[in-house]
Amino acid sequence: MKKIHDTVLIFLMLCCCTPAQAQFDNRSRMYDIVTDIDTFYLFSNPKPCFEEGDYDWIGAHSGMLLQEYVALDTVTVYGVAVTFDNYTGLMPATDNTFQAWLFKCDGLSYSTVSTQYYEFRPVDSVTLNRSHPRFCWFYYEDTCNKENCFTAPCYEFYFDTPQQINRMKDTFYVGRFEGMSSYYVERDYGPRYNSSLPSHIYAPSTIDPTVYDSYTIVDGNHHKRWGWAFPIIGFRCGPIQQLFLDAYTGDSAVVRWRQVEEGTLYNVRLTGEDGSDTAFVISDTTYTFTPLSDSVRYTAMVRKQCHYATSNYDTTVYGEWKTVSFGTTIIDTTIADTTGVDTVGIARPDVEGFSLVPNPTSGAVLLTAEADLTGVEVYTSAGVPFRRLPASGRTVRFDTSTWPAGTYLLTVSTAQGIVTRRLTVTR
């Protein structure tokens, strides 16, 4: 099966080569992972089974390319999320040739013996540099075959005035226009599905973006893709993905988490079993709680505070709380561990009971915890999201036989806290 992860890693290394491209520092920051169970994008239903491989296509169609969507209720389309990157490696931050679009279809324009042509009506558009795009990862999950799942880079483009004009219902279309550029070649990402199913991607018969009366369905197998361009119908603010207790001395504690989007603020809260409760808003990714009582059990909580604004709206939304507890127990940040895993900065009672066997592995692995699991996320050693494992109860069994050999970091979340585990996959 063709894997996308090496491609994404190459993209990460290249997109951060120069200061002009540093707006998306994928190597040192943790970005949201979006899936099709989230509610801030609109998705096509039913979702087809994916075909193996061929998830990225280069130069598939220059000019305009649109994906069809149907809204059962009226929605506000704030923008367009597109899973793509630049084949040459650099994401041009000031580029005007790339545009995100929203369209309606006014119906059949004319037809020939073999082709029907439709007249499309533009509703809104925005260029890459004007939209101040936000970066995230999109996890394409194939419910028919887990081996066909993959993660793709995703850029969100927000329109300037969606509350005035972008109230959509029934059928509409979102996508992108790729202009001619010597330094920019778009590589789109999207899972291909069975050729017997109809296509929902449209393109004009001309590369002129101002001609709207000659759109046709692009029905070649190459363009039968699910997703790729999604309508943004809400505001995203994912959880902090990694939260660590760096130190605890009895009268103070240091909590740390990974950087996320540039300019993000964080809500930090500390509650104690003695009834104490304090909260702060900060921009740093480390906070020292002091003074503390060494006889009180504390819980530190951190969440993102995400701000969205145009000339027509100014909205702040919040991510889910991530927690870590400490106090009334002896903290040992150098716990002996014979399984080859990391147990960084977690109280001993919160760590005991975790097992990850066998490790190293080349096949099936069993992860066991004393507390109910709430999430298991897998990252490469470079911090790139690799896979999200289904988590329920106190055990997770998963297969690594198709994973590339190397070291992976597993972020294991339970009601008692978060532990980062290292897993080695061999061949």
Side-chain angles (χ1 to χ4, degrees):
M1 182 184 73
K2 177 182 176 186
K3 296 293 184 181
I4 197 173
H5 305 99
D6 292 340
T7 300
V8 173
L9 284 173
I10 294 172
F11 161 71
L12 295 183
M13 291 185 287
L14 291 173
C15 76
C16 304
C17 291
T18 66
Q21 311 305 323
Q23 58 174 330
F24 302 117
D25 185 4
N26 308 80
R27 294 177 300 176
S28 64
R29 298 179 183 272
M30 298 294 293
Y31 291 90
D32 287 350
I33 303 174
V34 181
T35 71
D36 57 22
I37 64 172
D38 292 307
T39 58
F40 37 80
Y41 293 175
L42 186 64
F43 302 103
S44 298
N45 289 307
K47 183 173 69 172
C49 297
F50 301 162
E51 291 189 351
E52 182 178 4
D54 197 18
Y55 297 142
D56 63 303
W57 71 104
I58 302 169
H61 198 291
S62 59
M64 194 78 74
L65 200 63
L66 301 175
Q67 179 75 278
E68 179 182 281
Y69 286 90
V70 178
L72 300 179
D73 297 316
T74 302
V75 296
T76 298
V77 180
Y78 294 96
V80 183
V82 185
T83 52
F84 79 106
D85 63 23
N86 184 12
Y87 181 65
T88 62
L90 299 177
M91 186 59 64
T94 59
D95 180 58
N96 283 313
T97 61
F98 183 93
Q99 302 167 11
W101 281 84
L102 171 65
F103 277 87
K104 291 284 286 185
C105 179
D106 288 337
L108 186 66
S109 175
Y110 64 96
S111 64
T112 63
V113 174
S114 60
T115 307
Q116 289 185 323
Y117 293 87
Y118 299 87
E119 183 172 1
F120 276 56
R121 173 166 43 91
V123 178
D124 206 345
S125 68
V126 65
T127 59
L128 186 150
N129 68 319
R130 200 179 87 222
S131 68
H132 305 292
R134 295 175 182 244
F135 181 83
C136 62
W137 299 99
F138 190 86
Y139 180 61
Y140 282 103
E141 182 178 11
D142 185 0
T143 54
C144 305
N145 185 351
K146 295 296 183 181
E147 296 303 320
N148 288 339
C149 302
F150 69 100
T151 304
C154 181
Y155 292 85
E156 298 175 334
F157 304 91
Y158 291 86
F159 299 126
D160 294 330
T161 57
Q163 285 193 334
Q164 289 186 354
I165 55 178
N166 295 352
R167 299 285 289 171
M168 310 300 291
K169 190 177 181 179
D170 300 323
T171 304
F172 63 96
Y173 307 81
V174 297
R176 53 82 174 155
F177 174 78
E178 178 191 344
M180 301 299 294
S181 174
S182 60
Y183 58 87
Y184 181 74
V185 178
E186 181 176 356
R187 171 166 48 194
D188 296 301
Y189 293 99
R192 187 164 52 109
Y193 56 82
N194 189 281
S195 59
S196 65
L197 301 174
S199 173
H200 298 283
I201 292 183
Y202 288 72
S205 59
T206 172
I207 62 173
D208 185 350
T210 64
V211 176
Y212 305 123
D213 62 352
S214 61
Y215 277 76
T216 62
I217 296 176
V218 186
D219 58 0
N221 292 342
H222 193 60
H223 287 92
K224 291 185 176 180
R225 309 276 173 160
W226 183 88
W228 159 72
F230 304 100
I232 302 173
I233 59 173
F235 297 120
R236 168 178 58 83
C237 195
I240 300 293
Q241 295 184 29
Q242 292 183 338
L243 180 63
F244 307 95
L245 177 64
D246 267 3
Y248 173 65
T249 62
D251 62 350
S252 68
V254 180
V255 174
R256 172 179 58 88
W257 55 96
R258 292 283 295 274
Q259 284 187 317
V260 294
E261 295 92 336
E262 185 176 358
T264 299
L265 296 177
Y266 307 94
N267 295 170
V268 180
R269 183 180 178 187
L270 181 69
T271 61
E273 291 182 345
D274 60 347
S276 58
D277 192 338
T278 56
F280 319 87
V281 178
I282 64 174
S283 58
D284 293 333
T285 58
T286 302
Y287 193 85
T288 302
F289 298 99
T290 189
L292 302 175
S293 171
D294 60 7
S295 62
V296 175
R297 178 72 168 174
Y298 292 98
T299 298
M301 297 178 283
V302 181
R303 68 179 181 182
K304 291 196 303 186
Q305 178 176 304
C306 306
H307 183 229
Y308 294 82
T310 69
S311 58
N312 284 286
Y313 61 82
D314 192 323
T315 301
T316 299
V317 293
Y318 302 90
E320 297 178 2
W321 291 106
K322 286 289 187 179
T323 65
V324 61
S325 299
F326 50 88
T328 70
T329 57
I330 299 175
I331 301 298
D332 182 358
T333 59
T334 59
I335 300 172
D337 195 331
T338 60
T339 63
V341 298
D342 288 342
T343 54
V344 180
I346 304 294
R348 182 185 294 272
D350 291 343
V351 172
E352 288 181 351
F354 280 93
S355 65
L356 190 63
V357 293
N359 188 15
T361 182
S362 59
V365 177
L366 179 65
L367 180 128
T368 305
E370 283 190 347
D372 287 341
L373 296 163
T374 58
V376 179
E377 295 175 348
V378 183
Y379 300 83
T380 68
S381 58
V384 177
F386 177 74
R387 191 153 299 180
R388 178 178 292 175
L389 303 177
S392 61
R394 299 188 177 185
T395 61
V396 172
R397 185 182 298 274
F398 56 97
D399 183 23
T400 66
S401 60
T402 61
W403 296 14
T407 300
Y408 297 85
L409 301 178
L410 277 64
T411 299
V412 183
S413 302
T414 74
Q416 293 182 351
I418 300 174
V419 175
T420 300
R421 296 281 191 172
R422 180 181 288 121
L423 175 66
T424 302
V425 175
T426 61
R427 288 290 173 264

